Structure formats: structure tokens, C-alpha cells
Amino acid sequence: MGVVVDDQLDAAQAEALASWRSLHDPLSTIDEVSLVGAAKIATVIEGDDGATFHPVRFRELAEFISEMPF
């Protein structure tokens, strides 16, 4: 993990990212930079276990960010 999540996200975003990742990307197939970028702009929602992101939309956003040429 090259990105320090705590420095870039607020508490709700960090909680949502950790929750989403444990449920929808447990093998860490999406790179950390793309996930943090997506977490900065995605809407945090309330899931069964607390803050999270929409399962499909967040993945699509993170994958879109990972394909950007920068």
C-alpha cells in the first residue's frame, strides 16, 4: 500500500472504503490509488454494517479511474 488512506479521506470515507473493499474486493484486485480516488468523490451510503459505497457503481468508478492515463 503506497497510499496513506487516513491522510486523504475523512473518517466516513475511510470506513466506507474499508467496508466496501472487505466485501467486494477482498483480493485487492483494484489498485489503492484508484480506490482512494473513487472514495474521494463517491457517495457514502449506509449499509447493513455501517458506512459503505454502492457495490457496483463504486467498482465501476474505481475501474474507470484506474484506466485514466495519468
Coordinates of all heavy atoms in Angstrom, one line a residue:
M1 N 0.8 -1.2 0.0 CA 0.0 0.0 0.0 C 0.9 1.2 0.0 O 1.4 1.6 1.0 CB -0.9 0.0 1.2 CG -2.2 -0.7 1.1 SD -3.2 -0.3 2.5 CE -4.2 -1.7 2.6
G2 N 0.9 1.9 -1.1 CA 1.7 3.1 -1.2 C 1.0 4.3 -0.8 O 1.6 5.4 -0.5
V3 N -0.3 4.3 -0.8 CA -1.1 5.4 -0.5 C -1.5 5.4 1.0 O -2.0 4.3 1.5 CB -2.4 5.5 -1.3 CG1 -3.3 6.6 -0.9 CG2 -2.0 5.6 -2.8
V4 N -1.4 6.5 1.7 CA -1.9 6.6 3.1 C -3.3 7.0 3.1 O -3.6 8.2 2.9 CB -1.0 7.5 3.9 CG1 -1.4 7.6 5.3 CG2 0.5 7.1 3.8
V5 N -4.2 6.1 3.3 CA -5.6 6.4 3.2 C -6.1 7.4 4.2 O -6.8 8.3 3.9 CB -6.5 5.1 3.4 CG1 -8.0 5.4 3.4 CG2 -6.2 4.2 2.2
D6 N -5.6 7.3 5.5 CA -6.0 8.2 6.5 C -5.7 9.7 6.2 O -6.4 10.6 6.7 CB -5.4 7.8 7.9 CG -5.9 6.5 8.4 OD1 -7.0 6.1 8.0 OD2 -5.2 5.9 9.2
D7 N -4.7 10.0 5.5 CA -4.4 11.3 5.1 C -5.2 11.9 4.0 O -5.2 13.1 3.8 CB -2.9 11.4 4.7 CG -1.9 11.2 5.9 OD1 -2.4 11.2 7.1 OD2 -0.8 11.0 5.6
Q8 N -5.9 11.1 3.3 CA -6.6 11.6 2.1 C -8.1 11.5 2.2 O -8.8 12.2 1.5 CB -6.2 10.8 0.9 CG -4.7 11.0 0.6 CD -4.3 10.3 -0.7 OE1 -5.1 10.2 -1.6 NE2 -3.1 9.9 -0.8
L9 N -8.6 10.7 3.2 CA -10.1 10.6 3.3 C -10.6 11.0 4.7 O -9.8 10.8 5.7 CB -10.4 9.1 3.0 CG -10.0 8.5 1.7 CD1 -10.4 7.0 1.7 CD2 -10.7 9.2 0.6
D10 N -11.8 11.4 4.8 CA -12.3 11.7 6.1 C -12.8 10.3 6.7 O -12.7 9.3 6.1 CB -13.5 12.7 6.1 CG -14.7 12.2 5.3 OD1 -15.0 11.0 5.3 OD2 -15.4 13.0 4.8
A11 N -13.2 10.3 7.9 CA -13.5 9.1 8.7 C -14.6 8.3 8.0 O -14.5 7.1 7.9 CB -13.9 9.4 10.1
A12 N -15.6 8.9 7.5 CA -16.7 8.2 6.9 C -16.3 7.6 5.6 O -16.6 6.4 5.3 CB -17.9 9.1 6.6
Q13 N -15.5 8.3 4.8 CA -15.0 7.7 3.5 C -14.0 6.5 3.8 O -14.1 5.5 3.1 CB -14.2 8.8 2.7 CG -15.1 9.9 2.2 CD -14.3 11.1 1.7 OE1 -13.2 11.4 2.2 NE2 -14.8 11.7 0.6
A14 N -13.2 6.7 4.8 CA -12.2 5.6 5.1 C -13.0 4.4 5.6 O -12.7 3.2 5.2 CB -11.2 6.1 6.2
E15 N -14.0 4.6 6.4 CA -14.8 3.4 6.9 C -15.6 2.8 5.7 O -15.6 1.5 5.6 CB -15.8 3.9 7.9 CG -16.8 2.8 8.4 CD -17.9 3.3 9.3 OE1 -17.8 4.5 9.8 OE2 -18.8 2.5 9.6
A16 N -16.1 3.6 4.9 CA -16.9 3.1 3.7 C -15.9 2.3 2.8 O -16.3 1.2 2.3 CB -17.5 4.2 3.0
L17 N -14.7 2.8 2.6 CA -13.8 2.1 1.7 C -13.4 0.8 2.3 O -13.4 -0.2 1.6 CB -12.6 3.0 1.4 CG -11.5 2.4 0.6 CD1 -12.0 1.9 -0.8 CD2 -10.3 3.3 0.4
A18 N -13.1 0.8 3.6 CA -12.7 -0.5 4.2 C -13.8 -1.5 4.2 O -13.6 -2.7 3.9 CB -12.3 -0.2 5.7
S19 N -15.0 -1.1 4.4 CA -16.2 -1.9 4.3 C -16.4 -2.5 2.9 O -16.6 -3.7 2.7 CB -17.5 -1.2 4.8 OG -18.6 -2.0 4.6
W20 N -16.4 -1.6 2.0 CA -16.6 -2.0 0.6 C -15.6 -3.0 0.1 O -15.9 -4.0 -0.5 CB -16.7 -0.8 -0.4 CG -17.0 -1.2 -1.8 CD1 -18.2 -1.2 -2.4 CD2 -16.0 -1.6 -2.8 NE1 -18.1 -1.7 -3.7 CE2 -16.7 -1.9 -3.9 CE3 -14.6 -1.7 -2.8 CZ2 -16.1 -2.3 -5.1 CZ3 -14.0 -2.1 -4.0 CH2 -14.8 -2.4 -5.1
R21 N -14.3 -2.6 0.4 CA -13.2 -3.5 0.0 C -13.3 -4.9 0.6 O -13.0 -5.9 -0.1 CB -11.9 -2.8 0.4 CG -10.8 -3.5 -0.4 CD -9.5 -2.6 -0.2 NE -8.6 -2.9 -1.2 CZ -7.5 -2.3 -1.4 NH1 -7.1 -1.4 -0.6 NH2 -6.7 -2.6 -2.4
S22 N -13.7 -5.0 1.9 CA -13.7 -6.3 2.5 C -14.8 -7.2 1.9 O -14.7 -8.4 1.8 CB -13.9 -6.2 4.0 OG -15.2 -5.7 4.3
L23 N -15.9 -6.5 1.5 CA -17.0 -7.3 0.9 C -16.9 -7.5 -0.6 O -17.3 -8.5 -1.1 CB -18.3 -6.5 1.1 CG -18.8 -6.5 2.6 CD1 -20.0 -5.5 2.7 CD2 -19.1 -7.8 3.1
H24 N -16.3 -6.5 -1.4 CA -16.3 -6.6 -2.8 C -15.0 -6.7 -3.5 O -14.9 -6.8 -4.7 CB -17.1 -5.4 -3.3 CG -18.5 -5.3 -2.7 ND1 -19.5 -6.1 -3.1 CD2 -19.0 -4.5 -1.8 CE1 -20.6 -5.8 -2.4 NE2 -20.3 -4.8 -1.6
D25 N -13.9 -6.5 -2.8 CA -12.6 -6.7 -3.4 C -11.6 -7.2 -2.4 O -10.5 -6.7 -2.1 CB -12.1 -5.3 -3.9 CG -10.8 -5.4 -4.8 OD1 -10.7 -6.5 -5.4 OD2 -10.0 -4.5 -4.8
P26 N -11.9 -8.4 -1.8 CA -11.1 -8.9 -0.7 C -9.7 -9.4 -1.2 O -8.7 -9.5 -0.4 CB -11.9 -10.1 -0.2 CG -12.7 -10.5 -1.3 CD -13.1 -9.2 -2.0
L27 N -9.5 -9.6 -2.5 CA -8.2 -10.0 -3.0 C -7.4 -8.8 -3.6 O -6.4 -9.0 -4.2 CB -8.4 -11.0 -4.2 CG -9.1 -12.3 -3.7 CD1 -9.3 -13.2 -4.9 CD2 -8.4 -13.0 -2.6
S28 N -7.9 -7.6 -3.3 CA -7.3 -6.4 -3.7 C -6.9 -6.3 -5.2 O -5.8 -6.1 -5.6 CB -6.0 -6.1 -2.9 OG -6.4 -6.0 -1.5
T29 N -7.9 -6.6 -6.1 CA -7.7 -6.6 -7.5 C -7.7 -5.2 -8.1 O -7.2 -5.0 -9.2 CB -8.8 -7.4 -8.2 OG1 -10.1 -6.9 -7.9 CG2 -8.7 -8.9 -7.8
I30 N -8.2 -4.2 -7.3 CA -8.2 -2.8 -7.8 C -7.1 -2.1 -7.0 O -7.0 -2.2 -5.8 CB -9.6 -2.1 -7.5 CG1 -10.7 -2.9 -8.3 CG2 -9.6 -0.7 -8.0 CD1 -12.1 -2.4 -8.0
D31 N -6.3 -1.3 -7.7 CA -5.2 -0.6 -7.1 C -5.7 0.4 -6.1 O -6.7 1.0 -6.2 CB -4.3 0.0 -8.1 CG -4.9 1.1 -8.8 OD1 -5.6 0.9 -9.8 OD2 -4.6 2.3 -8.4
E32 N -4.9 0.6 -5.1 CA -5.2 1.5 -3.9 C -5.4 3.0 -4.4 O -6.3 3.7 -3.9 CB -4.0 1.5 -2.9 CG -4.3 2.2 -1.6 CD -5.2 1.4 -0.7 OE1 -5.4 0.2 -0.9 OE2 -5.7 2.0 0.2
V33 N -4.6 3.5 -5.3 CA -4.7 4.8 -5.8 C -6.1 5.1 -6.4 O -6.8 6.1 -6.2 CB -3.6 5.2 -6.8 CG1 -3.9 6.5 -7.5 CG2 -2.3 5.2 -6.1
S34 N -6.6 4.1 -7.2 CA -7.9 4.2 -7.8 C -9.0 4.1 -6.8 O -10.0 4.9 -6.9 CB -8.1 3.1 -8.9 OG -7.1 3.2 -9.9
L35 N -8.9 3.3 -5.8 CA -9.9 3.2 -4.8 C -10.0 4.5 -4.0 O -11.1 4.9 -3.7 CB -9.6 2.0 -3.9 CG -9.8 0.6 -4.5 CD1 -9.3 -0.5 -3.5 CD2 -11.3 0.4 -4.7
V36 N -8.8 5.0 -3.6 CA -8.9 6.3 -2.8 C -9.4 7.4 -3.7 O -10.3 8.2 -3.2 CB -7.5 6.6 -2.3 CG1 -7.4 8.0 -1.7 CG2 -7.0 5.6 -1.3
G37 N -9.1 7.5 -5.0 CA -9.7 8.5 -5.9 C -11.2 8.3 -6.0 O -11.9 9.3 -5.9
A38 N -11.6 7.1 -6.1 CA -13.1 6.9 -6.1 C -13.7 7.2 -4.8 O -14.8 7.8 -4.8 CB -13.4 5.5 -6.5
A39 N -13.1 6.9 -3.7 CA -13.7 7.2 -2.4 C -13.8 8.7 -2.1 O -14.7 9.1 -1.4 CB -12.8 6.5 -1.3
K40 N -12.9 9.5 -2.7 CA -13.0 10.9 -2.5 C -14.2 11.5 -3.1 O -14.7 12.6 -2.7 CB -11.8 11.6 -3.1 CG -10.5 11.3 -2.4 CD -9.4 12.1 -3.1 CE -8.0 11.9 -2.5 NZ -7.0 12.6 -3.3
I41 N -14.8 10.9 -4.2 CA -15.9 11.5 -4.9 C -17.2 10.7 -4.8 O -18.2 11.2 -5.2 CB -15.5 11.8 -6.4 CG1 -15.1 10.5 -7.1 CG2 -14.4 12.8 -6.4 CD1 -14.8 10.8 -8.6
A42 N -17.1 9.5 -4.4 CA -18.3 8.6 -4.4 C -19.2 9.0 -3.2 O -18.7 9.5 -2.1 CB -18.0 7.2 -4.3
T43 N -20.5 8.7 -3.3 CA -21.4 9.0 -2.2 C -21.3 7.8 -1.1 O -21.4 6.7 -1.5 CB -22.8 9.1 -2.7 OG1 -22.9 10.1 -3.7 CG2 -23.8 9.3 -1.6
V44 N -21.1 8.2 0.1 CA -21.1 7.2 1.2 C -22.6 6.9 1.5 O -23.4 7.8 1.6 CB -20.4 7.8 2.4 CG1 -20.5 6.8 3.6 CG2 -19.0 8.1 2.1
I45 N -22.9 5.6 1.6 CA -24.2 5.1 1.9 C -24.2 4.3 3.2 O -23.1 3.8 3.6 CB -24.9 4.3 0.8 CG1 -24.1 3.1 0.4 CG2 -25.1 5.2 -0.5 CD1 -24.8 2.2 -0.6
E46 N -25.3 4.1 3.8 CA -25.4 3.3 5.0 C -25.8 1.9 4.6 O -26.9 1.7 4.0 CB -26.5 3.9 5.9 CG -26.5 3.3 7.3 CD -25.2 3.6 8.1 OE1 -24.6 4.7 7.9 OE2 -24.8 2.8 8.9
G47 N -24.9 1.0 4.9 CA -25.2 -0.4 4.6 C -25.6 -1.1 5.9 O -25.8 -0.5 6.9
D48 N -25.8 -2.5 5.8 CA -26.2 -3.3 6.9 C -25.2 -3.2 8.1 O -25.6 -3.3 9.3 CB -26.3 -4.7 6.5 CG -27.5 -4.9 5.6 OD1 -28.4 -4.1 5.6 OD2 -27.5 -5.9 4.8
D49 N -23.9 -3.0 7.8 CA -22.9 -2.9 8.8 C -22.2 -1.6 8.9 O -21.1 -1.5 9.4 CB -21.8 -4.0 8.5 CG -22.4 -5.4 8.5 OD1 -23.2 -5.7 9.4 OD2 -22.0 -6.2 7.6
G50 N -22.9 -0.5 8.5 CA -22.3 0.8 8.6 C -22.1 1.5 7.3 O -22.6 1.0 6.3
A51 N -21.2 2.4 7.2 CA -20.9 3.2 6.0 C -20.2 2.3 5.0 O -19.4 1.5 5.3 CB -20.0 4.4 6.4
T52 N -20.6 2.5 3.7 CA -20.1 1.8 2.6 C -20.3 2.5 1.3 O -20.8 3.7 1.4 CB -20.6 0.3 2.5 OG1 -19.9 -0.4 1.6 CG2 -22.1 0.3 2.2
F53 N -20.0 2.0 0.2 CA -20.3 2.5 -1.1 C -21.2 1.5 -1.9 O -21.2 0.4 -1.6 CB -19.0 2.8 -1.9 CG -18.1 3.8 -1.3 CD1 -16.9 3.4 -0.8 CD2 -18.5 5.1 -1.3 CE1 -16.0 4.4 -0.2 CE2 -17.6 6.1 -0.7 CZ -16.4 5.7 -0.2
H54 N -21.9 2.0 -2.9 CA -22.7 1.2 -3.7 C -21.8 0.1 -4.3 O -20.8 0.4 -4.9 CB -23.4 2.0 -4.8 CG -24.4 1.2 -5.6 ND1 -24.0 0.4 -6.7 CD2 -25.7 1.1 -5.5 CE1 -25.0 -0.2 -7.2 NE2 -26.1 0.2 -6.5
P55 N -22.2 -1.2 -4.2 CA -21.3 -2.3 -4.7 C -20.8 -2.2 -6.1 O -19.6 -2.3 -6.4 CB -22.1 -3.5 -4.5 CG -23.3 -3.1 -3.7 CD -23.4 -1.6 -3.7
V56 N -21.7 -1.9 -7.0 CA -21.4 -1.9 -8.5 C -20.9 -0.6 -8.9 O -19.9 -0.5 -9.6 CB -22.6 -2.3 -9.3 CG1 -22.3 -2.3 -10.8 CG2 -23.1 -3.8 -8.9
R57 N -21.6 0.5 -8.6 CA -21.2 1.8 -9.0 C -19.8 2.2 -8.5 O -19.0 2.8 -9.3 CB -22.2 2.9 -8.5 CG -23.5 2.7 -9.2 CD -24.5 3.8 -8.7 NE -25.8 3.4 -9.2 CZ -26.9 3.7 -8.5 NH1 -26.8 4.3 -7.3 NH2 -28.1 3.3 -8.9
F58 N -19.4 1.8 -7.3 CA -18.1 2.2 -6.8 C -17.0 1.4 -7.6 O -16.0 2.0 -7.9 CB -18.0 1.9 -5.3 CG -16.7 2.4 -4.7 CD1 -16.5 3.7 -4.4 CD2 -15.7 1.5 -4.4 CE1 -15.3 4.2 -3.9 CE2 -14.5 1.9 -3.9 CZ -14.3 3.3 -3.6
R59 N -17.3 0.1 -7.8 CA -16.3 -0.6 -8.6 C -16.1 0.0 -10.0 O -15.0 0.1 -10.4 CB -16.7 -2.1 -8.7 CG -15.8 -2.9 -9.6 CD -16.2 -4.4 -9.7 NE -16.0 -5.0 -8.5 CZ -14.8 -5.5 -8.1 NH1 -13.7 -5.3 -8.8 NH2 -14.7 -6.1 -6.9
E60 N -17.2 0.3 -10.6 CA -17.1 0.9 -12.0 C -16.3 2.2 -11.9 O -15.5 2.5 -12.8 CB -18.5 1.2 -12.5 CG -19.2 -0.1 -12.9 CD -20.6 0.1 -13.3 OE1 -21.2 1.2 -13.1 OE2 -21.2 -0.9 -13.9
L61 N -16.6 3.1 -10.9 CA -15.8 4.3 -10.8 C -14.3 4.1 -10.6 O -13.5 4.7 -11.2 CB -16.4 5.1 -9.6 CG -15.8 6.5 -9.3 CD1 -15.8 7.4 -10.5 CD2 -16.4 7.1 -8.1
A62 N -14.0 3.2 -9.7 CA -12.6 2.9 -9.4 C -11.9 2.3 -10.6 O -10.8 2.7 -10.9 CB -12.5 1.9 -8.2
E63 N -12.6 1.4 -11.4 CA -12.0 0.9 -12.6 C -11.8 1.9 -13.6 O -10.8 2.0 -14.4 CB -12.9 -0.3 -13.1 CG -12.7 -1.5 -12.2 CD -13.7 -2.6 -12.6 OE1 -14.6 -2.4 -13.4 OE2 -13.5 -3.8 -12.1
F64 N -12.8 2.9 -13.7 CA -12.7 4.0 -14.7 C -11.4 4.8 -14.3 O -10.6 5.2 -15.2 CB -13.9 4.8 -14.7 CG -13.9 6.1 -15.5 CD1 -14.0 6.0 -16.9 CD2 -13.7 7.3 -14.9 CE1 -13.9 7.1 -17.7 CE2 -13.6 8.4 -15.7 CZ -13.7 8.4 -17.1
I65 N -11.3 5.2 -13.1 CA -10.1 5.9 -12.6 C -8.8 5.2 -12.9 O -7.9 5.8 -13.4 CB -10.3 6.3 -11.1 CG1 -11.4 7.3 -10.9 CG2 -8.9 6.8 -10.6 CD1 -11.8 7.5 -9.5
S66 N -8.8 3.9 -12.7 CA -7.6 3.1 -13.0 C -7.2 3.1 -14.4 O -6.0 2.9 -14.8 CB -7.7 1.7 -12.5 OG -8.5 0.9 -13.3
E67 N -8.1 3.4 -15.3 CA -7.8 3.4 -16.8 C -7.4 4.7 -17.3 O -7.0 4.9 -18.5 CB -9.0 2.9 -17.6 CG -9.3 1.4 -17.3 CD -10.7 1.0 -17.8 OE1 -11.4 1.8 -18.5 OE2 -11.0 -0.2 -17.7
M68 N -7.5 5.8 -16.5 CA -7.1 7.1 -16.9 C -5.6 7.2 -17.1 O -4.9 6.6 -16.3 CB -7.6 8.2 -15.9 CG -9.1 8.1 -15.8 SD -9.7 9.5 -14.8 CE -10.3 10.6 -16.0
P69 N -5.2 7.9 -18.1 CA -3.8 8.0 -18.5 C -3.0 9.0 -17.7 O -2.2 9.8 -18.3 CB -3.8 8.3 -20.0 CG -5.0 9.1 -20.1 CD -6.0 8.6 -19.1
F70 N -3.0 9.0 -16.4 CA -2.2 9.9 -15.6 C -1.6 9.2 -14.4 O -1.9 8.1 -14.1 CB -2.9 11.2 -15.2 CG -4.2 10.9 -14.4 CD1 -4.1 10.7 -13.0 CD2 -5.4 11.0 -15.0 CE1 -5.3 10.5 -12.3 CE2 -6.6 10.8 -14.3 CZ -6.5 10.5 -12.9

